[in-house]
Amino acid sequence: MNKIKYSNDTNSDIYKDSIKIREIVFVEEQNVPKSIEIDDDKVNCTYFTLYSDEKPVATARFQVTSDNGIHIQRVAVLKDYRQKHLGSFLLKYIFKYAQEHNFNYVILGAQDHAQAFYKKLGFKVIGQQYREAGIFHHDMRLNLL
């Protein structure tokens, strides 16, 4: 059974589980330096972790933007749980949360290889390609209104 929990507390188990997933996906698999992955913005974020049978398997976080949107970051799903629609399940949960809290839109920096995934969820590419942690990205936006 899948359950999603969220927290703003960097001392919570939800946050700690999120970090474990991100270290496996970004630091170990994608060779993102840990110093970049675990950043100073951590205290300004709300963390979401998806648990499958009590095991933390997917995560994302967001920060509130200055113009009433949310900026989703650090979307990660453990390798053995990919292709099971858990990433879209988690993001749709976050979209619902954002709508319930009257946010207007969602923005994120998508790794280029993941653009098709985000487009299926309704995101549109905005802006030019850029490189972050050695990986090509594009910003993408989804209007919630």
Side-chain angles (χ1 to χ4, degrees), residues 4-129:
I4 297 171
K5 299 178 183 178
Y6 60 91
S7 177
N8 307 70
D9 181 2
T10 56
N11 292 312
S12 71
D13 288 339
I14 295 163
Y15 171 78
K16 292 172 187 172
D17 290 340
S18 176
I19 294 297
K20 288 176 193 170
I21 295 166
R22 289 167 43 195
E23 285 180 344
I24 292 167
V25 173
F26 297 122
V27 177
E28 293 176 21
E29 290 179 22
Q30 296 183 354
N31 297 311
V32 173
K34 191 172 181 175
S35 61
I36 294 172
E37 179 50 36
I38 312 303
D39 59 16
D40 292 335
D41 287 337
K42 66 185 177 186
V43 297
N44 300 318
C45 295
T46 301
Y47 294 86
F48 293 79
T49 301
L50 186 150
Y51 297 84
S52 181
D53 297 321
E54 305 299 321
K55 179 181 178 177
V57 300
T59 192
R61 74 179 192 184
F62 76 72
Q63 287 184 285
V64 176
T65 67
S66 62
D67 58 349
N68 202 44
I70 62 169
H71 182 186
I72 292 180
Q73 303 166 311
R74 310 306 203 267
V75 179
V77 179
L78 293 179
K79 193 175 209 171
D80 291 345
Y81 293 86
R82 293 178 194 152
Q83 307 302 318
K84 297 181 183 204
H85 309 287
L86 297 177
S88 59
F89 180 72
L90 175 62
L91 288 173
K92 287 175 184 176
Y93 182 94
I94 295 171
F95 301 160
K96 184 177 180 207
Y97 175 97
Q99 288 174 314
E100 289 171 354
H101 289 83
N102 300 311
F103 291 107
N104 296 329
Y105 69 92
V106 177
I107 191 167
L108 54 79
Q111 293 182 3
D112 281 0
H113 71 85
Q115 278 187 34
F117 166 75
Y118 292 111
K119 285 179 179 178
K120 286 180 187 175
L121 292 169
F123 282 88
K124 294 187 178 4
V125 173
I126 57 172
Q128 299 297 312
Q129 184 182 60

